[in-house]
């Protein structure tokens, strides 16, 4: 479709074009109901089918056993920073957190606000969060180990998950969920705000191992405990129907058009390598993440000067390549190349980067 840009936004971010077209085509009259998806009841059969299909597809894509449940919660990943310790960290216990950047830091902060005890088992702050720590100082009896699987702002990603000796891992996978196959075994809970790799903003997917539900205290506010969502199929109150519908379509696209997680991962590796191949420590483009910790989703890099970075972002936009400015807290440049960012967009960016370097290098 003409006049759509190559979209490298970090979030909200690109959605697959076939998904947007499907939404458009059925927007005024969803499945002959005579109503838009935004007008039907969340207690109707069409919506029940949507939410159940989204759950089933997630279960199939990740190969989950029936000991896992899928929940849809509002409040973004940021509310999960609060809900996780509220539900799983008793006052007398400790939880281990690995601090790999802005989002991990916020997760730790929210636990502290609740008066909970956290132990930072490892941190990469000493090198400006440019790597994923290898050695963790785990507590003997932690309630859980919290990690951020992909660091959207710093451009790092866990490529191998830590061995926690059976202590459940709780992971913020907001920016890399369903970007690669996953061995679910060590995870007690995974959460992901939809607006990076799953759909539009407004809903957060939670994958929870059912034994975790048994640990949740009864005296929490209804909307802040996972049991409420699990018992009511995420329909205790009105859910964000449209966002869940769009997530369902993205899941369908991953399964049926992209052929599942192995395939999408292979494409994601190719896309990222095209960009990382342009970078070196003493070159025009300098990757900010250490090579063994580089993210396949968010490629962060610097140019020789801040002026050149500004010029790079502006000229790219003129050529229809958008969203390349680094996060305001770190500066530099960032190309977010989630599942929905296709190879053609990355190739267009590579061409532009070569052209820009020739002109200014
Ligand atoms: C974007 C992001 C968040 C914050 O998500 P919200 O849905 O805006 O609360 C948290 N963690 C990670 C890893 C993110 O990329």
């Amino acid at each position: 479709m003409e006049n759509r840009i190559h979209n490298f936004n970090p979030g909200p971010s690109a959605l697959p074009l076939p998904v947007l077209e499907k939404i458009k085509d059925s927007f005024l009259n969803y499945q002959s109901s005579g109503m838009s998806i935004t007008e039907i009841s969340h207690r109707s059969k069409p919506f029940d089918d949507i939410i159940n299909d989204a759950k089933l597809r997630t279960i199939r894509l990740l190969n989950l056993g029936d000991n896992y449940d899928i929940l849809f919660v509002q409040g973004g990943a940021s509310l999960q920073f609060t809900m996780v310790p509220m539900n799983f960290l008793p006052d007398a216990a400790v939880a281990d957190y690995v601090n790999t950047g802005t989002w991990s830091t916020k997760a730790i902060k929210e636990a502290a606000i609740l008066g909970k005890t956290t132990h930072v088992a490892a941190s990469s702050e000493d090198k400006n969060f440019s790597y994923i720590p290898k050695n963790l100082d785990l507590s003997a009896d932690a309630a859980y180990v919290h990690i951020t699987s992909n660091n959207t702002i710093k451009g790092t990603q866990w490529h191998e998950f830590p061995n926690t000796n059976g202590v459940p891992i709780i992971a913020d996978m907001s920016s890399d969920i369903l970007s690669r196959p996953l061995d679910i075994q060590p995870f007690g809970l995974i959460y992901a705000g939809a607006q990076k790799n799953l759909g539009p903003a407004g809903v957060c997917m939670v994958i929870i191992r059912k034994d975790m539900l048994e640990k949740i205290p009864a005296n929490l506010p209804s909307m802040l405990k996972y049991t409420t969502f699990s018992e009511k199929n995420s329909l205790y109150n009105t859910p964000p129907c449209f966002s869940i519908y769009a997530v369902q379509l993205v899941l369908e696209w991953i399964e049926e058009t992209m052929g599942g997680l192995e395939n999408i991962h292979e494409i994601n590796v190719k896309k990222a390598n095209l960009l990382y191949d342009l970078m070196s420590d003493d070159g025009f483009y300098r990757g900010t993440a250490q090579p063994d910790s580089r993210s396949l989703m968010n490629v962060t890099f610097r140019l020789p000067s801040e002026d050149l970075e500004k010029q790079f972002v502006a000229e790219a936009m003129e050529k229809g390549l958008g969203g390349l400015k680094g996060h305001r807290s770190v500066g530099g440049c960032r190309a977010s190349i989630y599942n929905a960012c296709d190879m053609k967009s990355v190739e267009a960016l590579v061409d532009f980067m070569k052209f820009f370097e020739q002109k200014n290098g």
Side-chain angles (χ1 to χ4, degrees):
M1 191 186 185
E2 275 170 64
N3 69 34
R4 283 180 53 81
I5 68 163
H6 295 293
N7 185 347
F8 300 98
N9 276 335
S13 47
L15 283 166
L17 188 56
V19 166
L20 294 174
E21 282 170 339
K22 199 157 189 177
I23 291 171
K24 179 178 165 230
D25 290 344
S26 59
F27 195 69
L28 296 184
N29 189 355
Y30 181 72
Q31 291 196 347
S32 310
S33 64
M35 294 175 280
S36 165
I37 184 66
T38 58
E39 298 174 306
I40 66 174
S41 168
H42 59 293
R43 312 245 174 245
S44 63
K45 169 130 187 359
F47 189 74
D48 239 17
D49 290 346
I50 287 171
I51 199 165
N52 290 333
D53 186 63
K55 290 171 65 169
L56 268 177
R57 286 186 188 279
T58 307
I59 286 167
R60 277 202 302 265
L61 280 164
L62 287 169
N63 243 322
L64 305 180
D66 57 10
N67 56 332
Y68 282 86
D69 199 3
I70 313 292
L71 318 176
F72 295 98
V73 184
Q74 296 190 60
S78 297
L79 185 62
Q80 296 304 305
F81 299 161
T82 302
M83 278 178 75
V84 163
M86 197 180 242
N87 282 257
F88 301 118
L89 187 46
D91 285 341
V94 63
D96 287 342
Y97 279 71
V98 182
N99 191 359
T100 51
T102 314
W103 299 115
S104 316
T105 305
K106 286 196 174 181
I108 294 165
K109 179 179 146 207
E110 292 300 315
I113 289 173
L114 292 172
K116 308 283 184 176
T117 308
T118 58
H119 165 67
V120 177
S123 166
S124 50
E125 194 170 7
D126 59 336
K127 292 192 178 134
N128 197 19
F129 298 113
S130 59
Y131 69 101
I132 300 293
K134 291 220 165 52
N135 299 314
L136 310 189
D137 167 33
L138 297 174
S139 307
D141 50 359
Y144 57 83
V145 178
H146 182 281
I147 64 167
T148 312
S149 59
N150 183 72
N151 297 280
T152 325
I153 295 174
K154 308 290 181 181
T156 62
Q157 185 176 28
W158 291 78
H159 294 295
E160 227 173 280
F161 294 110
N163 178 358
T164 57
N165 300 315
V167 175
I169 300 180
I170 293 187
D172 176 358
M173 292 200 183
S174 292
S175 50
D176 69 349
I177 189 155
L178 299 179
S179 66
R180 54 181 171 176
L182 181 73
D183 171 16
I184 196 72
Q185 201 275 329
F187 294 94
L189 185 145
I190 291 167
Y191 59 91
Q195 71 274 18
K196 277 51 181 262
N197 220 359
L198 277 182
V203 68
C204 184
M205 179 186 275
V206 175
I207 300 167
I208 187 167
R209 204 169 66 205
K210 287 179 183 166
D211 65 289
M212 298 290 287
L213 292 165
E214 287 152 27
K215 305 179 185 176
I216 297 173
N219 63 346
L220 296 179
S222 306
M223 286 301 289
L224 295 176
K225 60 181 173 190
Y226 296 106
T227 36
T228 304
F229 291 84
S230 176
E231 282 159 15
K232 303 287 183 187
N233 202 25
S234 300
L235 290 163
Y236 170 76
N237 76 328
T238 318
C241 299
F242 175 79
S243 298
I244 294 172
Y245 164 61
V247 167
Q248 182 228 355
L249 294 180
V250 170
L251 295 166
E252 181 183 83
W253 172 81
I254 297 175
E255 252 196 318
E256 295 177 14
T257 306
M258 302 309 286
L261 299 187
E262 305 249 348
N263 285 354
I264 217 153
H265 176 61
E266 202 176 300
I267 298 168
N268 286 333
V269 169
K270 280 191 191 140
K271 288 184 323 196
N273 283 343
L274 282 180
L275 294 172
Y276 286 122
D277 281 349
L278 299 177
M279 296 173 198
S280 62
D281 283 347
D282 50 5
F284 186 77
Y285 299 109
R286 274 175 300 120
T288 59
Q290 294 188 7
D292 65 350
S293 303
R294 282 171 167 171
S295 168
L296 300 179
M297 299 277 102
N298 308 97
V299 178
T300 51
F301 54 99
R302 307 293 316 231
L303 273 65
S305 72
E306 285 187 15
D307 281 345
L308 274 172
E309 286 166 349
K310 267 195 202 126
Q311 194 186 327
F312 175 85
V313 171
E315 277 186 34
M317 192 64 241
E318 279 170 26
K319 295 207 149 69
L321 303 153
L324 292 166
K325 196 167 181 290
H327 190 266
R328 60 189 184 283
S329 65
V330 294
C333 300
R334 168 176 56 175
S336 297
I337 50 171
Y338 303 117
N339 289 347
C341 172
D342 68 29
M343 186 66 85
K344 283 202 184 74
S345 291
V346 175
E347 285 167 353
L349 176 57
V350 166
D351 286 346
F352 172 73
M353 287 173 74
K354 287 181 178 162
F355 164 81
F356 191 86
E357 179 179 353
Q358 260 174 12
K359 206 167 53 128
N360 300 287

